[in-house]
Amino acid sequence: MLVRAITAPGLRRWYRGRRGAATACFPLGRALLGVRGADAAVFLQGLLTNDVTQLVATGDAPPALYAHALNVQGRCLYDVILYRLHGSTAEEPHILLECDSGVLDSIQKHLKLYKIRRKVTIAPCPDLSLWAVIPGEQPGDASSLPKCADPALLFTPDPRAEVMGWRLIAKKGANLSEIIPGSQVGDVQDYHRHRYKQGIPEGVKDLPPGVALPLESNLAFMNGISFTKGCYIGQELTARTHHMGVIRKRLLPVQFPEPLPGVPQGAEILTQEGKPAGKFRAGGGELGIALLRLAHASEPLYIQLGGDRVKVKATTPQWWPKAAVK
């Protein structure tokens, strides 16, 4: 496998970590599948929302793509990130697929169902580890930006949003301090808090299979969909919703006044007048993510927990397009 070090000028401008502050590396409980063979990109092209052929295109091919696999009704089954491991078009296409570890068996069955006679092999990669690399958020010294990712297998900007930093794939047991000097291993719960603060869904709790709709889940904002690629499973409803231009609900970051021991998934969020405003998806402490009607998102909201009304505040992420919510 090719050792690759990737940095991005945009991320370099964004990352101005605190002087002397360590970059945090979070071990993720996500699974990796290898999809390899002459037909790898064409095979995935018909199953995912994004244009996977970019990963095998000549020229400046992207190192990573975000996408969803949908069911025939156009609802999300799996959220995935694809990584290009082959170095050029002369090499056999080799794509890594990142997914929620809880659906690893399910997604393998899904892929093999549509494999038919494609020249492609699908296999888990238990010898690899996946890390999220989140730099500091305060202005300071840019010289601490990692210049190289040796001996990382892949080090690339998270394709969903700049605020999510980088994705790092390395061999199991690799020394993170050698890959990113001065970095520290962080608590994965802090990574999830960061996600919720930024409104980035990930995994089956945030995107319930067969329930979540891709455009309501901000897939277009996170560079996860192509509206020009042609047919794929679940395209019809997604394309129709996009061309109608009306999305009345979206996933938004929410915050409670104080950390809560546990808010039930799917708990109803109400306006002060008691009107349904949306449903809570998942969270941790005082932060979470919820599917809310945009008409009520800026109003005072609450959730009923036991016999108490608990205030809920929704916010619009700063990284969203400026015209996203009108």
Side-chain angles (χ1 to χ4, degrees):
M1 291 183 179
L2 182 67
V3 172
R4 190 186 311 278
I6 301 173
T7 57
L11 276 174
R12 186 179 295 278
R13 289 192 296 269
W14 169 68
Y15 174 42
R16 298 294 185 265
R18 294 186 298 272
R19 187 179 298 274
T23 298
C25 300
F26 301 99
L28 302 182
R30 305 266 287 174
L32 291 167
L33 273 175
V35 182
R36 191 168 192 167
D39 295 336
V42 176
F43 165 61
L44 292 172
Q45 181 78 341
L47 300 177
L48 300 175
T49 56
N50 215 334
D51 185 0
V52 186
T53 60
Q54 295 178 74
L55 294 176
V56 294
T58 57
D60 191 20
L65 287 176
Y66 179 57
H68 283 187
L70 310 180
N71 63 16
V72 293
Q73 289 80 31
R75 295 182 181 271
C76 178
L77 287 177
Y78 317 106
D79 64 303
V80 302
I81 298 179
L82 305 175
Y83 303 95
R84 173 175 52 86
L85 288 189
H86 55 278
S88 70
T89 55
E91 297 180 34
E92 180 183 65
H94 189 185
I95 297 170
L96 277 184
L97 184 151
E98 171 196 330
C99 65
D100 188 310
S101 58
V103 298
L104 178 59
D105 290 342
S106 178
I107 197 169
Q108 285 185 86
K109 292 177 182 177
H110 180 75
L111 294 177
K112 290 177 180 179
L113 177 65
Y114 292 96
K115 178 183 173 183
I116 313 176
R117 296 183 182 88
R118 298 286 190 187
K119 296 178 180 179
V120 62
T121 59
I122 303 164
C125 303
D127 59 326
L128 299 180
S129 59
L130 176 68
W131 299 78
V133 181
I134 307 292
E137 297 178 347
Q138 303 300 323
D141 185 9
S143 65
S144 56
L145 177 69
K147 303 299 192 300
C148 178
D150 270 345
L153 184 70
L154 188 76
F155 184 54
T156 180
D158 190 309
R160 298 171 296 182
E162 284 190 0
V163 293
M164 292 306 296
W166 295 270
R167 269 330 206 228
L168 169 66
I169 298 174
K171 289 287 186 180
K172 277 279 178 68
N175 190 332
L176 267 291
S177 63
E178 292 180 0
I179 297 174
I180 305 176
S183 64
Q184 294 181 353
V185 176
D187 185 338
V188 71
Q189 295 306 317
D190 290 334
Y191 165 77
H192 293 306
R193 285 175 55 84
H194 177 73
R195 282 200 305 106
Y196 291 133
K197 186 177 180 181
Q198 300 298 338
I200 302 286
E202 184 178 285
V204 296
K205 289 185 178 180
D206 299 350
L207 300 165
V211 175
L213 288 167
L215 297 184
E216 290 183 350
S217 304
N218 308 320
L219 187 64
F221 295 171
M222 294 187 289
N223 311 303
I225 189 167
S226 169
F227 294 107
T228 60
K229 63 172 281 187
C231 295
Y232 57 89
I233 295 174
Q235 179 203 20
E236 185 177 351
L237 175 63
T238 306
R240 185 166 66 244
T241 303
H242 170 68
H243 291 301
M244 288 175 62
V246 179
I247 300 173
R248 294 185 171 85
K249 294 184 287 186
R250 286 192 181 275
L251 282 180
L252 290 169
V254 293
Q255 185 169 359
F256 303 104
E258 60 184 12
L260 299 177
V263 181
Q265 187 174 5
E268 194 165 34
I269 296 176
L270 305 169
T271 67
Q272 290 296 96
E273 294 75 29
K275 296 179 181 179
K279 292 185 177 181
F280 184 79
R281 280 281 175 81
E286 77 281 12
L287 300 174
I289 195 167
L291 183 67
L292 295 173
R293 291 178 175 83
L294 296 178
H296 299 307
S298 59
E299 299 178 16
L301 302 173
Y302 76 91
I303 194 168
Q304 194 78 34
L305 293 179
D308 299 324
R309 277 190 175 194
V310 179
K311 291 182 180 179
V312 182
K313 181 181 179 182
T315 56
T316 300
Q318 292 185 357
W319 59 268
W320 276 18
K322 291 183 179 179
V325 180
K326 299 180 181 179

